[in-house]
Amino acid sequence: MAETPNDASTLNDERARRLADRAALYAAGKNPYPEHSDVENHVADIEAAYADLEAGADTTDVVKIGGRAVAKRGQGKIVFVVLRDPTGDIQLFCRINDMPAEAWELLSELDLGDIIGAEGVVVRTKRGQLSVAPTKLTLLSKAVRPLPEKFHGLSDKETRYRQRYVDLIVNADVRETFAKRSRIVSAFRRYMEDNGYMEVETPILQTIQGGATAKPFITHFNALNQENYLRIATELHLKRLLVGGYERVFELGRIFRNEGMDLTHNPEFTTMEAYRAYSDLEGMKELAEGVIKAANAAVNDSEQIEYQGQTIDLSGTWPSRPMTEIVSEVMGRELTLDTPIDELRAAAAECGIEVKPEWGAGKLIAEIYDEKGEESIVNPTFVCDYPVEVSPLAKRHEDDPRLTHRFELVIAGHEYANAFSELNDPVDQAERFAKQMEEKAGGDDEAMEYDEDYVRALEYGMPPAGGIGIGIDRVVMLLTNQASIRDVLLFPHMKPERGSANGAAAARAAERDAEQTAGVSIAENKIPTIDYDKVAVEPLFEDMVDFDTFSKSDFRAVKVKACEAVPKSKKLLQFTLDDGSGADRVILSGIHMYYEPEDLVGRTLIAITNLPPRKMMGIDSCGMIISAVHNEGDEERLNVLIVDDAIPAGAKLY
């Protein structure tokens, strides 16, 4: 629950009181954070061992448990405390005659959230509640911040992500989701090892951007005075190991792509990539199906699972379908690589796709599939026969070089795996790298770079092989029925809290201060204006507008909840906005030339919110982001209006 001013005041008063209690403990010679503890047992084990203990029965069996006090009631000679450890909750049945005076005094000082140790016998109360009757109670860690209020809990999404530690304390379902994530990752490893794959580790810092088409993070390697990328894929290093003689290798690791955030994308995420010599695309289908079914078995009792209101059937052998078949189905007519190019362009335009003149048939088919075909798939399906234009590392079909041996595994409208019969012809690979470099020179900052060492490795000979990458975070989302990737990441990336400046943010702020001191102009806009003598501002309108007409335009402060690049456009960003109404508002704006999506997440902008929706790239844009526009020479330049974050969402401009 987000804090209101009154909440904050109450929190500060409670925190101050607890800090005073902590100081009093030290003053009395008591350490509220002792080094040693005697915890030997866990709640789940006690419940299992004494499941048959009858109501009203006592035992002489002594247990030593530790955990957080999450509830307390009672007075007089009996007090009940609920203690929570990682395996569950159990009641402490505290009786004055069983406990020394110091331990009984601790009960009166105990705050919810304190971590305590309890030693006592196992009993079941007359009401049937399994309990521990303490003979010893020890304060192990004093909590100076109170837990969220019992009945409202911690529900605000941003607070939950930012303070995941509190989220885990109070929300059992969140703890269970991440326990399942651990079991899923373990199941992946067990399956791979049981099938003869060796786990390896490859560099995160890389000098060449390769293995995927994505925008990288760039960092500086001080010791070598060298710019490096954080890896966008593990592919090229893993395939070097096939050249070196290993037949089956895999890596479970973090990947970094400097792109937008939405429900299924985070700039830092986990993948498993695997490569198998003397295999092919069919071998990778067996691997994908097998490992995901094994992961599901680790957390679910059935192969019929529910995901966001849909029933997904993971059973049986998963079907394979050519991309053109799916495109033809969703468009209601046959479309193939042999369809006349003008007809394919018209079909793409029907889907709201901004068609570029250089696109060939394969690219157009792929764009239509991305826009309309993928979302039509519910049950696991291997989408095959990708055009070579969108598969720079895949091996071509022998009977049709326009197609590649590649599939994507799609479930519930989302991609979960990407696999290839790997390209091992060094000449073909070199030519494709050269083509990627041409595209990079043309302004595509996601295109791969020419990796001479990888081509050299292929020249020594790489056996025919199948390769696959599986998105672990998305698999966890699917198998735990979570709608957002942030709900399966323990610590998702967040914009810094207002007023905080630490770590990388503080370092960058210091850098900017130094630059400003040196007279360097800094602007958030990717293309900063330096020479104001070149700036031309449009003259003021001479025509007047009456006040009633103007006042119909509803200008509002809006908070950017999410922002991502529209895949089919180099100009458009798609904003998910909080406009104060309680419902998300989607607005598309052509400002990607000037701003990266991640730079705008969490910012407060100005938008007109009562314009009629209009289709942009097939998406309803419900309003308009307000920017300041000027000209520099023949170039029109744009600066989005970013206002003080203290202005609440929905505040109206007058």
Side-chain angles (χ1 to χ4, degrees):
M1 185 171 64
E3 291 176 4
T4 66
N6 287 339
D7 294 329
S9 176
T10 301
L11 170 63
N12 291 335
D13 290 347
E14 175 70 5
R15 181 170 177 267
R17 195 270 298 168
R18 291 187 181 212
L19 285 169
D21 289 348
R22 169 193 170 278
L25 287 168
Y26 276 117
K30 301 174 183 178
N31 183 1
Y33 306 98
E35 180 269 338
H36 181 71
S37 59
D38 292 314
V39 176
E40 297 178 357
N41 307 97
H42 287 93
V43 170
D45 297 331
I46 296 170
E47 290 179 335
Y50 297 94
D52 298 329
L53 189 64
E54 295 179 356
D58 291 353
T59 74
T60 58
D61 302 335
V62 176
V63 294
K64 298 178 181 180
I65 58 175
R68 194 179 298 276
V70 295
K72 186 173 77 167
R73 62 183 176 86
Q75 56 186 357
K77 297 182 179 182
I78 296 179
V79 174
F80 299 95
V81 176
V82 177
L83 180 146
R84 173 173 297 159
D85 78 3
T87 68
D89 294 356
I90 197 167
Q91 178 176 270
L92 302 183
F93 182 27
C94 304
R95 297 175 287 199
I96 192 170
N97 294 332
D98 295 340
M99 303 172 67
E102 185 177 2
W104 188 257
E105 182 182 348
L106 174 59
L107 275 176
S108 64
E109 301 168 348
L110 193 65
D111 287 311
L112 298 188
D114 288 351
I115 296 175
I116 56 176
E119 178 180 336
V121 296
V122 179
V123 303
R124 194 177 291 278
T125 66
K126 292 179 180 179
R127 294 189 176 184
Q129 182 69 48
L130 186 67
S131 307
V132 173
T135 56
K136 182 180 178 182
L137 203 64
T138 307
L139 179 63
L140 300 178
S141 182
K142 182 67 181 174
V144 297
R145 281 184 180 265
L147 296 177
E149 193 270 324
K150 176 180 178 182
F151 295 103
H152 294 94
L154 189 69
S155 57
D156 178 71
K157 284 270 187 181
E158 180 167 338
T159 304
R160 286 180 50 212
Y161 298 147
R162 195 181 297 281
Q163 300 178 25
R164 181 69 85 187
Y165 38 89
V166 184
D167 192 22
L168 292 167
I169 291 170
V170 301
N171 290 321
D173 59 330
V174 175
R175 292 198 302 276
E176 179 60 18
T177 293
F178 288 105
K180 287 182 175 180
R181 180 184 177 113
S182 178
R183 297 202 294 273
I184 289 168
V185 172
S186 293
F188 264 74
R189 279 199 165 95
R190 285 196 305 273
Y191 183 91
M192 298 303 291
E193 291 169 352
D194 289 347
N195 281 272
Y197 285 82
M198 179 178 72
E199 184 172 9
V200 298
E201 296 171 307
T202 61
I204 289 175
L205 292 177
Q206 302 185 350
T207 56
I208 294 174
Q209 174 186 343
T213 53
K215 183 176 180 182
F217 287 92
I218 301 175
T219 188
H220 187 74
F221 195 151
N222 289 340
L224 297 178
N225 191 26
Q226 181 183 72
E227 296 301 309
N228 278 246
Y229 301 116
L230 300 187
R231 67 184 180 195
I232 58 174
T234 57
E235 176 174 346
L236 299 185
H237 281 90
L238 291 175
K239 289 197 288 190
R240 284 172 168 92
L241 298 179
L242 299 187
V243 173
Y246 293 115
E247 287 194 1
R248 302 186 188 195
V249 293
F250 80 100
E251 181 168 10
L252 260 165
R254 301 295 262 182
I255 299 298
F256 307 87
R257 297 183 181 177
N258 198 357
E259 299 170 344
M261 297 186 291
D262 59 25
L263 289 178
T264 59
H265 292 86
N266 193 67
E268 178 183 356
F269 58 99
T270 302
T271 67
M272 186 194 78
E273 286 198 46
Y275 295 86
R276 178 180 172 183
Y278 311 113
S279 185
D280 55 17
L281 214 57
E282 294 306 311
M284 295 303 101
K285 290 177 185 177
E286 293 175 7
L287 173 57
E289 183 178 315
V291 74
I292 292 175
K293 285 184 176 181
N296 179 63
V299 294
N300 293 314
D301 296 328
S302 170
E303 291 190 333
Q304 316 292 320
I305 63 172
E306 291 297 317
Y307 181 69
Q308 301 302 301
Q310 290 181 305
T311 299
I312 309 296
D313 185 1
L314 300 178
S315 66
T317 300
W318 298 347
S320 299
R321 300 182 64 193
M323 179 184 286
T324 52
E325 178 183 303
I326 296 168
V327 166
S328 298
E329 182 178 282
V330 297
M331 295 302 293
R333 60 188 185 276
E334 185 177 27
L335 296 174
T336 71
L337 295 180
D338 296 318
T339 301
I341 197 73
D342 288 342
E343 187 177 337
L344 290 175
R345 287 173 178 156
E350 283 178 38
C351 301
I353 297 169
E354 185 179 339
V355 176
K356 296 182 179 180
E358 66 269 22
W359 287 358
K363 177 68 171 174
L364 288 164
I365 289 285
E367 291 289 329
I368 297 170
Y369 165 76
D370 285 345
E371 183 67 25
K372 294 291 187 181
E374 188 174 70
E375 66 185 22
S376 71
I377 298 169
V378 177
N379 288 323
T381 301
F382 296 112
V383 180
C384 305
D385 297 345
Y386 272 67
V388 71
E389 296 98 314
V390 294
S391 306
L393 291 178
K395 184 172 285 190
R396 299 174 193 258
H397 275 224
E398 292 78 1
D399 56 351
D400 189 345
R402 298 174 300 174
L403 298 175
T404 62
H405 290 287
R406 174 189 178 188
F407 73 70
E408 285 187 356
L409 172 62
V410 178
I411 310 172
H414 296 293
E415 173 203 342
Y416 287 81
N418 193 14
F420 304 85
S421 289
E422 297 298 335
L423 179 63
N424 59 346
D425 179 343
V427 176
D428 191 355
Q429 180 65 81
E431 291 172 352
R432 298 201 206 182
F433 275 151
K435 178 65 174 176
Q436 287 282 297
M437 291 298 288
E438 288 178 15
E439 294 179 9
K440 182 174 283 289
D444 186 352
D445 56 6
E446 293 188 354
M448 296 185 207
E449 296 179 347
Y450 197 108
D451 191 334
E452 290 185 15
D453 181 71
Y454 178 67
V455 173
R456 179 170 57 195
L458 291 184
E459 289 178 349
Y460 282 97
M462 186 181 90
I468 191 168
I470 300 178
I472 299 296
D473 306 303
R474 289 192 183 177
V475 171
V476 176
M477 289 171 62
L478 175 72
L479 301 184
T480 61
N481 194 14
Q482 299 296 326
S484 171
I485 194 171
R486 290 187 169 197
D487 291 321
V488 300
L489 298 174
L490 277 168
F491 300 103
H493 287 284
M494 305 288 293
K495 189 173 182 65
E497 293 178 89
R498 192 188 325 150
S500 72
N502 49 55
R508 180 58 183 146
E511 184 181 316
R512 288 180 176 178
D513 288 344
E515 288 172 336
Q516 288 174 335
T517 301
V520 180
S521 177
I522 302 296
E524 292 295 327
N525 196 304
K526 287 198 296 186
I527 313 175
T529 294
I530 301 297
D531 187 353
Y532 284 92
D533 291 336
K534 296 180 180 179
V535 171
V537 177
E538 184 176 338
L540 300 181
F541 286 118
E542 294 182 358
D543 295 338
M544 298 295 179
V545 59
D546 65 85
F547 184 80
D548 287 342
T549 300
F550 168 76
S551 64
K552 291 178 182 178
S553 296
D554 196 11
F555 290 84
R556 299 278 179 164
V558 292
K559 306 282 186 181
V560 182
K561 298 175 67 175
C563 182
E564 60 180 317
V566 176
K568 315 305 181 294
S569 172
K570 287 191 177 293
K571 296 179 181 179
L572 289 175
L573 294 180
Q574 179 177 332
F575 292 86
T576 302
L577 302 166
D578 175 7
D579 62 7
S581 68
D584 288 348
R585 175 179 295 275
V586 174
I587 295 180
L588 275 65
S589 183
I591 62 175
H592 197 185
M593 181 183 296
Y594 307 99
Y595 297 90
E596 290 298 342
E598 57 269 23
D599 294 334
L600 297 173
V601 174
R603 307 305 292 266
T604 304
L605 312 181
I606 302 299
I608 301 179
T609 58
N610 64 335
L611 293 172
R614 58 176 179 150
K615 287 278 188 186
M616 300 175 71
M617 303 295 290
I619 302 167
D620 279 337
S621 180
C622 301
M624 180 178 179
I625 302 291
I626 300 301
S627 298
V629 179
H630 67 272
N631 290 319
E632 293 184 29
D634 295 331
E635 179 188 359
E636 184 178 79
R637 292 285 309 283
L638 179 152
N639 294 275
V640 70
L641 293 189
I642 303 174
V643 299
D644 194 326
D645 288 340
I647 301 173
K652 182 174 173 60
L653 272 65
Y654 285 97

